[in-house]
Amino acid sequence: MTTTLEIQKTTSIVGLLEALSSEMSIAAVSCGHLDSALGQILEEVPMEARLKVMQELHMVDMLAQHITAITDFTAGLASSLAAEGQPDVDGALSRITLGDVAARLRDTLDAKAA
């Protein structure tokens, strides 16, 4: 009975992580569309103000990258949990291409474990 309950809990957590990763992926695509739309608006900004606006547009790109990093991390957790019955946090962190995001997540997770 306990084994069945553990499998059900693992399966539900895997499903939760997969759903979260899927939604984050949709959000990343939306950020890409937003970035494209803002790029089109940038063409209408007077030349003397473009640099300032471009710096702000860079934040949209950073947001999209951050969302993608969290998506990859969550997908990695779901994958390892489904395959091994426990999350491979180090493996999931290694999927993150933004070093700052991976470092912050690792620091937060280490602090929570302490």
Side-chain angles (χ1 to χ4, degrees), residues 60-78:
V60 174
D61 182 55
M62 293 297 295
L63 175 62
Q65 290 180 42
H66 197 149
I67 291 171
T68 298
I70 295 169
T71 300
D72 293 344
F73 176 70
T74 306
L77 289 176

Side-chain angles (χ1 to χ4, degrees), residues 2 7 9 16-17 21 35 42 44 51 61 95 112:
T2 303
I7 291 170
K9 284 181 181 179
L16 170 70
L17 291 171
S21 180
D35 189 43
L42 179 63
E44 302 301 321
L51 182 59
D61 182 55
R95 295 174 67 143
K112 297 288 183 190

Side-chain angles (χ1 to χ4, degrees), residues 73 76-77 80 87-96 102 106 109-110:
F73 176 70
L77 289 176
S80 64
D88 177 5
V89 175
D90 288 330
L93 285 170
S94 71
R95 295 174 67 143
I96 298 175
R106 184 177 305 281
L109 292 169
D110 287 347

Side-chain angles (χ1 to χ4, degrees), residues 12 24 27-28 30 34 39-40 47 66 76 80 83 85 96 109:
S12 65
M24 294 299 292
S30 295
L34 175 61
Q40 292 172 16
M47 203 54 119
H66 197 149
S80 64
I96 298 175
L109 292 169

